[in-house]
């Protein structure tokens, strides 16, 4: 090959190499550009209307930034979500509005500008909106949450008044907006009758008894899920409603449910509701789950000051206490943190002793309809049992993770038997522990 020909060949090869490299670089840029500029994807939208508040949840594959403001005449909430484009999933939010939603009449969704979607909530009344994000947990990815609270929150006593079960003469807790006054040393806020040689001579007080029933989980938090797809939150709500009906057949008993529908209630709010109505008892209802499907039986738990009574009790308490993270409590809210701190610090020995008596009475009755997982009341640090002045128990009605017990829990007859057993246990407790007269809680 001559020298000019060799030079031309090398020049052609070099040009081709530059062309290939340039094309490769262009291809690499075209592949990387969508990744860096890609809008976040909305995976699911959910809506949870309730008298307490309405919650709207957007589940997505990344953390989202928002701006929001309200408008008057008519009342509206406007939310701009950055980094997303309008999608069929997001558009489906429009159809999620239910006619009986107390606070939202309709939702409008549109592309406000590139990569910014605007949501407009047409409201039925003025609300205090809380907009916050939740990090991935359990089965959920990132969540953007809008909680629409009424400016005038519903009072749990109002429902009892509407039902004709509350009079103006009843004592009322003023709430936890101000600290509870300090007690004299060694004086429990929920005192038992002083022991003596004639314990039955203590005067019995005839008055209305207020029972707070707490169906566990709800809304974003399904609780345990059975192999057949049963949700704990639905089963325990059904049992709680049956139990409410049975207790209210008694002439001196009335019941307040911490939730009466499928919506999330933070643990501290459940306790606060019970204290607001000056409850005599607090009964939290659940359906247990364990990694082994063979685990079975019913259990009753009380609070512990010194640690869990067993490893299983500690494991269960940790799982139940995670409800706020799964359900989506707005932990950035300073009031929620303050409330939790107050409740956690005021638990007393007297409250725990009364809770153990209540738990024993209920456990004996439940043992008549189902195998007991443990023959004694167990104890652990359940956050929902930390009302300082109310005997409180948590009932695990059965193992929803056990296929046989899951079938029982879905059976109307079993639910009714469980409700009847708990009711009988509560009545047995009061028969042995007559209620004291209650003054107005301050």
């Amino acid at each position: 090959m001559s020298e000019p020909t060799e030079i031309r060949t090398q020049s052609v090869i070099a040009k081709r190499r530059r062309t290939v490299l340039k094309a490769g670089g262009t291809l690499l840029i075209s592949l990387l550009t969508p990744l860096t500029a890609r809008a976040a994807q909305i995976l699911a939208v959910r809506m949870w209307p309730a008298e307490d508040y309405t919650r709207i949840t957007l589940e997505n594959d990344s953390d989202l930034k928002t701006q929001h403001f309200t408008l008057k005449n008519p009342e509206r909430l406007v939310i701009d979500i950055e980094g997303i484009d309008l999608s069929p999933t997001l558009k489906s939010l429009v159809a999620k509005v239910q006619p009986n939603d107390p606070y939202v009449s309709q939702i409008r969704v549109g592309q406000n500008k590139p990569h910014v979607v605007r949501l407009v909530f047409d409201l039925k009344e003025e609300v205090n909106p809380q907009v916050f994000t939740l990090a991935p947990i359990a089965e959920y990815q990132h969540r953007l949450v809008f909680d629409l609270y009424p400016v005038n929150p519903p009072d749990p006593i109002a429902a009892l008044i509407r039902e004709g079960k509350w009079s103006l003469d009843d004592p009322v807790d003023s709430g936890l907006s101000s600290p509870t006054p300090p007690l004299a040393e060694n004086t429990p806020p929920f005192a038992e009758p002083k022991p003596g040689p004639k314990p039955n001579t203590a005067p019995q007080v005839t008055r209305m008894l207020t029972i707070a029933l707490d169906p566990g989980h709800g809304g974003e938090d399904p609780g345990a899920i059975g192999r057949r797809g049963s949700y704990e939150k639905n089963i325990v709500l059904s049992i709680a409603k049956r139990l409410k009906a049975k207790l209210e057949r008694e002439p001196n008993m009335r019941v307040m449910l911490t939730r009466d529908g499928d919506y999330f209630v933070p643990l501290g709010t459940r306790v606060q509701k019970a204290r607001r109505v000056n409850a005599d008892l607090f009964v939290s209802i659940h359906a247990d789950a364990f990694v082994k499907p063979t685990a079975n039986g019913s259990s009753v738990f009380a609070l512990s000051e010194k640690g869990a009574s067993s490893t299983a009790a500690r494991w269960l308490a940790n799982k139940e206490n995670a409800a706020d993270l799964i359900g989506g409590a707005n932990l950035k809210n300073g009031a929620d943190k303050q409330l939790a701190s107050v409740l956690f610090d005021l638990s007393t020995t007297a409250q725990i002793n009364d809770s153990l008596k209540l738990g024993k009475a209920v456990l004996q009755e439940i043992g008549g309809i189902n195998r007991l997982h443990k023959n004694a009341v167990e104890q652990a640090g359940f956050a929902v049992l930390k009302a300082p002045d109310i005997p409180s128990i948590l009932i695990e009605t059965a193992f929803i993770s056990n296929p046989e017990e899951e079938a029982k829990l879905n059976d109307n007859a079993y639910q009714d038997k469980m409700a009847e057993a708990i009711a009988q246990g509560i009545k047995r407790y009061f028969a042995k522990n007559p209620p004291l007269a209650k003054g107005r809680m301050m």
Side-chain angles (χ1 to χ4, degrees), residues 379-420:
Q379 294 180 261
F382 291 91
V384 80
L385 300 183
K386 293 191 175 185
D389 43 15
I390 308 173
S392 305
I393 60 171
L394 185 145
I395 302 169
E396 295 288 357
T397 52
F399 277 82
I400 198 172
S401 53
N402 181 305
E404 292 182 5
E405 293 204 335
E406 181 185 8
K408 279 185 180 181
L409 289 167
N410 280 287
D411 180 66
N412 289 332
Y414 180 81
Q415 288 188 9
D416 201 65
K417 288 179 181 178
M418 178 59 66
E420 180 64 28

Side-chain angles (χ1 to χ4, degrees), residues 108-302:
R108 290 172 282 150
V109 182
Q111 191 79 46
N112 188 37
K113 54 186 178 181
H115 302 309
V116 177
V117 168
R118 170 165 289 186
L119 308 180
V120 179
F121 295 84
D122 294 324
L123 305 171
K124 296 180 179 179
E125 63 178 77
E126 186 180 3
V127 300
N128 286 325
Q130 292 187 12
V131 180
F132 57 98
T133 58
L134 296 169
I137 189 173
E139 301 299 320
Y140 293 122
Q141 294 197 38
H142 295 270
R143 283 176 289 172
L144 177 61
V145 180
F146 316 129
D147 284 348
L148 311 184
Y149 287 93
V151 172
N152 299 307
D155 190 329
I157 295 176
L160 295 174
I161 292 175
R162 288 195 299 268
E163 296 173 11
K165 294 170 182 152
W166 193 275
S167 75
L168 296 178
D169 296 327
D170 286 325
V172 179
D173 180 12
S174 61
L176 297 179
S177 55
S178 58
T180 304
L183 299 164
E185 189 175 359
N186 298 324
T187 302
F190 193 96
E192 294 179 319
K194 293 181 180 180
K198 297 179 181 179
N200 294 328
T201 61
Q204 296 191 13
V205 179
T206 302
R207 62 171 176 80
M208 286 296 292
L209 301 170
T210 306
I211 317 298
L213 298 183
D214 175 50
H217 309 283
E220 289 287 291
D221 176 19
I225 302 175
R227 293 197 169 189
R228 300 180 184 180
S230 307
Y231 282 9
E232 177 184 4
K233 65 176 183 178
N234 297 332
I235 289 171
V236 298
L237 179 60
S238 178
I239 293 174
K241 288 182 175 180
R242 292 173 188 270
L243 176 55
K244 180 179 188 291
K246 292 179 184 296
L247 291 174
E248 289 184 337
R249 291 174 192 159
E250 301 297 319
N252 67 328
M253 289 190 182
R254 61 191 169 202
V255 173
M256 185 274 295
L257 293 173
T258 59
R259 69 174 180 96
D260 58 5
D262 187 11
Y263 57 97
F264 169 70
V265 182
L267 299 176
T269 303
R270 295 170 187 260
V271 180
Q272 186 183 35
K273 283 187 173 186
R275 299 193 77 211
R276 184 70 184 88
V277 299
N278 211 5
D280 294 281
L281 297 180
F282 181 92
V283 179
S284 192
I285 303 172
H286 293 255
D288 208 352
F290 195 62
V291 291
K292 294 182 179 179
T294 53
N296 63 88
S298 303
S299 305
V300 177
F301 295 85

Side-chain angles (χ1 to χ4, degrees), residues 42 44-48 55-58 79 81 87-98 104 106-109 117-121 146:
I42 302 297
V45 294
R46 296 181 289 274
M47 199 161 178
W48 310 97
R55 166 168 287 192
I56 301 94
T57 304
L58 308 185
I79 302 176
I81 309 174
S87 66
T89 302
L90 201 51
K91 288 180 180 178
S92 70
L93 184 61
V94 174
K96 300 279 185 186
V97 180
Q98 300 180 22
V104 181
Q106 69 173 350
I107 300 176
R108 290 172 282 150
V109 182
V117 168
R118 170 165 289 186
L119 308 180
V120 179
F121 295 84
F146 316 129

